[in-house]
Amino acid sequence: MASITTADFKNGMGLKIKDKIYTIVEFQHVKPGKGGAFVRYKTRDIKTGRVVENTTNAGSKFESVQLITKEMQYLYNDGADYIFMDNETYEQVPVPEDMVGDNAKWLRENDTCQLLYADEDLMGVNPPMFIIATVTETVPGAKGDTVQGAYKPATIDTGAEVQVPMYLNEGEQIKVDTRTGEFVSRA
């Protein structure tokens, strides 16, 4: 693994700190009038998404990690693993259920997803940012249910539950933001 110093920092760069992998969110070199220079930096834990703020002396060494995002097509779930296919080599990659986590509720067959690798290790799976889904189950909307901000729960064809406006009914197509799980618009 390559060793870097704080002078090599760039936003989005991967770092390995205490056996955890982080990306640099932002950093700032500070040269006070008195004393030595230091670096303030924010990192995001790849696995948990938690942002941590740190300070270190200028010139400190860190272990660099190469972060790679590969676009792959989700094929199916065989019960234990989720199977993805590399669109260039057509190689099928099994991904354990715990690695996919909560993102499984947004996966549909043939959707293109992003798999994040740190060096050669798979770190996580990101579904498409927005999906078009069909409302499969919700309470019927009554005429006049157009109050601003009124929402009701609805189940979509991936099995996820989403809060939708009162006027939507079963069978309608909607656009959903998979990062937040929120209704965006009718499709």
Side-chain angles (χ1 to χ4, degrees):
M1 300 236 176
S3 183
I4 62 167
T5 66
T6 55
D8 302 319
F9 276 11
K10 290 181 177 60
N11 288 344
M13 179 181 272
L15 299 176
K16 189 172 191 178
I17 304 169
K18 296 180 185 172
D19 292 331
K20 287 190 175 184
I21 297 176
Y22 298 89
T23 58
I24 297 173
V25 177
E26 66 182 59
F27 66 96
Q28 178 182 21
H29 290 274
V30 180
K31 176 78 172 102
K34 252 184 173 178
F38 62 93
V39 177
R40 261 192 217 113
Y41 62 100
K42 285 184 184 179
T43 55
R44 175 177 284 118
D45 188 325
I46 295 280
K47 290 216 186 249
T48 64
R50 198 175 120 208
V51 175
V52 180
E53 213 168 306
N54 293 304
T55 304
T56 188
N57 293 330
S60 296
K61 292 190 176 201
F62 291 90
E63 202 172 328
S64 174
V65 176
Q66 184 179 9
L67 298 175
I68 301 168
T69 303
K70 289 185 182 177
E71 296 236 334
M72 293 195 183
Q73 183 178 9
Y74 170 61
L75 297 178
Y76 61 92
N77 180 350
D78 68 3
D81 294 326
Y82 289 83
I83 310 300
F84 292 87
M85 180 181 69
D86 189 322
N87 293 332
E88 295 170 14
T89 63
Y90 302 108
E91 174 189 358
Q92 292 188 10
V93 178
V95 177
E97 200 167 332
D98 62 327
M99 187 69 70
V100 176
D102 286 345
N103 288 330
K105 65 184 176 188
W106 307 115
L107 294 179
R108 285 191 310 199
E109 292 179 2
N110 302 322
D111 276 355
T112 300
C113 301
Q114 293 183 334
L115 277 66
L116 179 64
Y117 288 88
D119 289 331
E120 296 296 319
D121 301 327
L122 179 65
M123 300 306 295
V125 175
N126 293 327
M129 199 176 296
F130 296 100
I131 60 169
I132 305 296
T134 305
V135 176
T136 57
E137 188 180 318
T138 188
V139 293
K143 191 170 186 158
D145 279 345
T146 56
V147 176
Q148 288 287 348
Y151 288 90
K152 62 183 177 180
T155 305
I156 58 174
D157 55 8
T158 63
E161 191 169 288
V162 179
Q163 293 293 320
V164 299
M166 296 296 282
Y167 57 82
L168 285 176
N169 293 310
E170 289 180 14
E172 292 195 56
Q173 298 265 321
I174 61 171
K175 184 176 184 179
V176 178
D177 185 337
T178 61
R179 297 166 299 177
T180 60
E182 294 177 354
F183 165 84
V184 176
S185 65
R186 275 185 169 151

